[in-house]
Amino acid sequence: MVICVFRRESCMLSHGTKISCKGSRTFVALQSSTYKSQGIDVTVKYSQGSWTGVLGTDVITIPKGIYGTYTINIATILESENFFLPGVKWHGILGLAYNALAKPSSSVETFFDSLVRQAKIPNIFSLQMCGAGLPVSGSGTNGGSLVLGGIEPSLYKGDIWYTPIKEEWYYQVEILKLEVGGQNLELDCREYNADKAIVDSGTTLLRLPQKVFTAVVQAIARTSLIQEFSSGFWTGSQLACWDKTERPWSLFPKLSIYLRDENSSRSFRISVLPQLYIQPILGIGENLQCYRFGISSSTNALVIGATVMEGFYVIFDRAQKRVGFAVSPCAEVDGSPVSEIEGPFTTADVASNCVSSLSFHEPVLWIASYALMSLCGIILLVLIILLLIPPRCQHRYTDNDVVNDESSLVRHRWK
């Protein structure tokens, strides 16, 4: 088995222009001898920010493990809005989800699918994100590793616990319950999976459906040692500051997420201590350190983002349709671990299926949208042809003819 390990210090090379790890240079398509534009426009929108570019191909080499050159699909970003945030040291984004989410269509082969096909590596990658307890606005030297083609034993401790991938688009999993300070929120398990629960390293925070978010905030406020707290802290509009000699994490409870095991009658729980969700973000003067709440509300998903993933070594085993979690050695603050995995537990107290079968996936909506737009186009084309027919060929209406134009295709558009 060939494994490629990317660490924060290494970079990927394009045969046209080197992509600097420290962000000192950017890719210039016109200066590349290997980049080829396909002339297809691509637009990607996120919950925050968006970009527009052109689809193309380029040749890459990988500095460790996987030797050789490989042709991949890339999009050159030409315009963006709220995507390249102030102070960031990166110039793009590497999507590692399934081709069902590829833009502009699922027929575009993804980066990792291209590597699996061309380099003949196993269909599995794993990720260690390090940053627990470190300032969010730091210098970007927190470290971390991306392993392509396998699992690196030095990047985790203890056992790996796997949960099945429910659908192959995002890495959708099934969450059974949440606990705050060891107390079950007592919500219907379908609330946690409305309309999906996914593992996504590209999402900064732990994002929760509104009903779950409200319950979590209430439970944290109830069990914390702080009597009063500004509502702006929970919504992300305000920071909370303490003297730099204080450690506010002792004031907050542990948060646990239960995932269904590969054996559906069992579950396991991943837990994050406050050091992961009460996040230092900036210092004020010599005496104050300010923190943000690393959990936010979501309108369409529960997302296990970096807030949680920084506590674990996460394995995306696409070959066996499962996501694995193990404790990460770098998830420590002041020498103490800030993440835990425990199990197995029985699932007798939860429903046999917590994932709604009625939720529409985005690719399905895209297909329906394109179908309706195509129908609109055909109808408009027919109308234009009829308008261009010479008058002598048109039907002469009598007083008894009734013409109604109540088409809903114009008034009710898919967006």
Side-chain angles (χ1 to χ4, degrees), residues 294-401:
I295 305 174
S296 67
S297 62
S298 169
T299 59
N300 60 356
L302 187 153
V303 185
I304 297 176
T307 289
V308 175
M309 292 182 67
E310 286 183 347
F312 304 95
Y313 181 52
V314 184
I315 298 95
F316 297 87
D317 188 348
R318 295 151 59 103
Q320 299 191 55
K321 289 189 63 175
R322 60 185 186 174
V323 176
F325 293 85
V327 172
S328 171
C330 70
E332 294 185 351
V333 175
D334 297 331
S336 299
V338 294
S339 61
E340 303 169 352
I341 297 183
E342 298 170 285
F345 303 98
T346 179
T347 59
D349 59 337
V350 296
S352 59
N353 182 18
C354 298
V355 179
S356 173
S357 59
L358 298 177
S359 62
F360 285 99
H361 290 180
E362 291 176 12
V364 175
L365 294 178
W366 297 338
I367 293 172
S369 300
Y370 294 147
L372 284 176
M373 286 189 290
S374 299
L375 180 60
C376 289
I378 293 172
I379 292 175
L380 289 174
L381 181 61
V382 171
L383 291 175
I384 292 172
I385 293 174
L386 290 176
L387 288 173
L388 294 176
I389 294 177
R392 66 178 181 274
C393 297
Q394 294 179 347
H395 172 71
R396 297 182 181 278
Y397 291 102
T398 65
D399 293 339
N400 296 325
D401 289 318

Side-chain angles (χ1 to χ4, degrees), residues 8-80:
R8 185 65 64 92
E9 304 81 35
S10 63
C11 350
M12 182 179 297
L13 303 181
S14 163
H15 278 225
T17 301
K18 182 177 180 180
I19 307 299
S20 171
C21 305
K22 297 182 179 179
S24 59
R25 297 179 64 188
T26 57
F27 175 77
V28 182
L30 294 178
Q31 296 179 7
S32 172
S33 62
T34 53
Y35 171 78
K36 296 180 180 179
S37 173
Q38 297 183 22
I40 300 174
D41 293 337
V42 182
T43 298
V44 177
K45 296 181 179 180
Y46 305 95
S47 57
Q48 176 182 343
S50 63
W51 57 263
T52 299
V54 178
L55 185 67
T57 63
D58 205 346
V59 179
I60 60 140
T61 60
I62 297 175
K64 296 181 181 180
I66 304 175
Y67 299 104
T69 59
Y70 309 100
T71 301
I72 62 165
N73 292 304
I74 66 170
T76 53
I77 298 176
L78 304 179
E79 298 178 5
S80 66

